[in-house]
Amino acid sequence: MRTCSVCDREYPREEPWRCSCGAPLDYASQPLPDSRPAQFSRASGVWDFADFLPMGERVSLGEGWTPLVDAPEWDATFKLEYLHPTGSFKDRGAATVIAEALEVGADRVLEDSSGNAGLAVASYAARAGLDAKIYVPASAKEAKVRRIERTGADVVPVEGSRESVTAACIDAVENGAGWYASHAWNPAFFAGTATAAYEIAAQRNWSVPDAVVTPLGHGTLFLGLYRGFRALEQAGWTDAIPRILGTQAVGYSPIADEEGSTPDAAAANDLADGIHIRDPPRAHQIRHAIDETDGAAVAVSAAATERERDRLSGAGFHVEPTCATATAALPQFRERGELQDGDDVVVALTGRND
Ligand SMILES: [Zn+2]
């Protein structure tokens, strides 16, 4: 079963892709294991955490178990999500959303993306033998588009804003062109990104950090982390939930703007293209996660993003600009008191440099 995240209406698992009220759907319940195993094989990708995952099918390209490394220059620990098979944390959600597609009998999946989610969904669809059709902005990076095409997926470039790409994909879904494997809408995707939280806790011997920091567009990782840490606490594997801190791009920062934490007079941050989301369908859930964890969101300028991306490269972390917003925001979080001296903080480095 699935339930609406706003009006609680219930639906079968197979369809529709959103509620008749327009809001995103979620699984009616979160599966929780009884007790944790003494150790994990670390050989099954996200499926090492199958007891937390609501689907019976499995697809894997070796995602998950990304390293957690010390970054003293930032007074933080980095979770190297950019080391995933297709270069971003989206592989976690692609593994589970494609498994869900198999479970509901879909034979073709549709997704809209600025790049990373499209490549992840296309790659896992190829692995599972499903057809994929990926809608991308006409302005998307050519290298990324080529890589999507090489999986055998159909790529549909759409002129205009990021919103018009989503609109074109939704039109096709509504017209029966395929099953919507969306990283913004499909709850199966968020079940997968929650595995980042399970791993962080496992890698720290079942202690949770004071805070985790991640770029925030649709909230695909932000909400995954919240849901994952919440499930761990409910299962009794951990005893706290970290503050969840999100970083947005100036000019595309609906959540940070509500919190009054956008720098004045800065130009739009056109570098951080992975989080150019002005109206995330799960905004109500992002706000809820911030309230529940004493979290926060701030907006980061293009200048700070560029500076920080160079600094990360200079330290050996080869990440894309969107990802650099997460470390670029650390001074802001510290100035605002959302991070205190001595806080134990994990920063997700989400996507690799192309
Ligand atoms: Zn509803």
Side-chain angles (χ1 to χ4, degrees):
M1 289 290 278
R2 291 186 174 184
T3 54
C4 174
S5 59
V6 170
C7 74
D8 291 332
R9 231 179 241 125
E10 295 192 335
Y11 297 95
R13 186 163 194 162
E14 293 75 18
E15 53 181 8
W17 64 274
R18 69 175 161 190
C19 182
S20 57
C21 81
L25 301 176
D26 284 305
Y27 291 99
S29 62
Q30 160 78 49
L32 292 175
D34 295 333
S35 60
R36 63 183 160 81
Q39 68 187 76
F40 288 90
S41 73
R42 303 196 178 201
S44 310
V46 297
W47 305 104
D48 266 351
F49 297 100
D51 287 350
F52 286 98
L53 297 172
M55 55 286 290
E57 297 282 346
R58 295 186 180 195
V59 185
S60 181
L61 282 169
E63 68 293 325
W65 294 113
T66 55
L68 199 57
V69 303
D70 195 26
E73 197 183 326
W74 284 267
D75 196 13
T77 305
F78 290 164
K79 178 77 167 150
L80 307 189
E81 292 291 281
Y82 67 96
L83 296 182
H84 266 109
T86 80
S88 84
F89 76 93
K90 297 279 187 359
D91 287 2
R92 298 181 183 279
T96 49
V97 86
I98 296 301
E100 178 85 0
L102 292 175
E103 189 140 335
V104 301
D107 49 18
R108 176 187 245 198
V109 297
L110 269 57
E111 163 72 309
D112 56 280
S113 161
S114 62
N116 288 341
L119 179 60
V121 166
S123 301
Y124 280 79
R127 175 75 163 168
L130 299 180
D131 289 339
K133 193 168 190 175
I134 312 294
Y135 291 71
V136 299
S139 61
K141 292 190 184 83
E142 202 180 320
K144 231 164 225 179
V145 172
R146 290 279 164 275
R147 210 172 294 159
I148 297 172
E149 282 173 341
R150 272 190 238 116
T151 67
D154 288 336
V155 175
V156 184
V158 180
E159 297 287 346
S161 65
R162 180 67 184 80
E163 286 80 12
S164 35
V165 181
T166 299
C169 186
I170 288 176
D171 261 2
V173 170
E174 296 282 337
N175 288 319
W179 186 79
Y180 199 16
S182 170
H183 64 289
W185 290 89
N186 200 311
F189 213 106
F190 293 82
T193 54
T195 62
Y198 310 147
E199 281 178 24
I200 290 170
Q203 288 166 321
R204 298 166 47 95
N205 200 22
W206 308 105
S207 73
V208 300
D210 296 309
V212 291
V213 184
T214 176
L216 171 58
H218 278 303
T220 310
L221 186 56
F222 188 93
L223 287 172
L225 287 165
Y226 172 61
R227 292 175 182 199
F229 282 115
R230 191 184 53 186
L232 283 172
E233 192 194 37
Q234 286 170 349
W237 291 21
T238 56
D239 56 11
I241 300 180
R243 298 195 291 283
I244 317 282
L245 306 178
T247 61
Q248 303 206 287
V250 169
Y252 306 85
S253 49
I255 309 290
D257 293 353
E258 287 166 6
E259 300 210 341
S261 49
T262 303
D264 293 330
N269 181 348
D270 289 326
L271 279 177
D273 61 323
I275 46 174
H276 281 178
I277 307 298
R278 290 199 173 93
D279 189 15
R282 294 184 183 269
H284 59 299
Q285 296 180 324
I286 294 167
R287 285 184 210 109
H288 176 76
I290 288 175
D291 289 347
E292 288 290 302
T293 70
D294 203 15
V298 297
V300 176
S301 69
T305 302
E306 189 161 31
R307 204 163 50 232
E308 193 64 17
R309 198 256 195 119
D310 288 346
R311 190 174 161 220
L312 285 162
S313 298
F317 300 103
H318 298 282
V319 298
E320 63 183 6
T322 300
C323 167
T325 61
T327 53
L330 291 173
Q332 266 173 276
F333 287 128
R334 290 189 171 119
E335 270 162 37
R336 292 160 48 91
E338 275 129 8
L339 286 178
Q340 314 271 342
D341 280 349
D343 265 359
D344 186 353
V345 52
V346 172
V347 181
L349 298 190
T350 46
R352 127 180 116 206
N353 180 28
D354 291 310

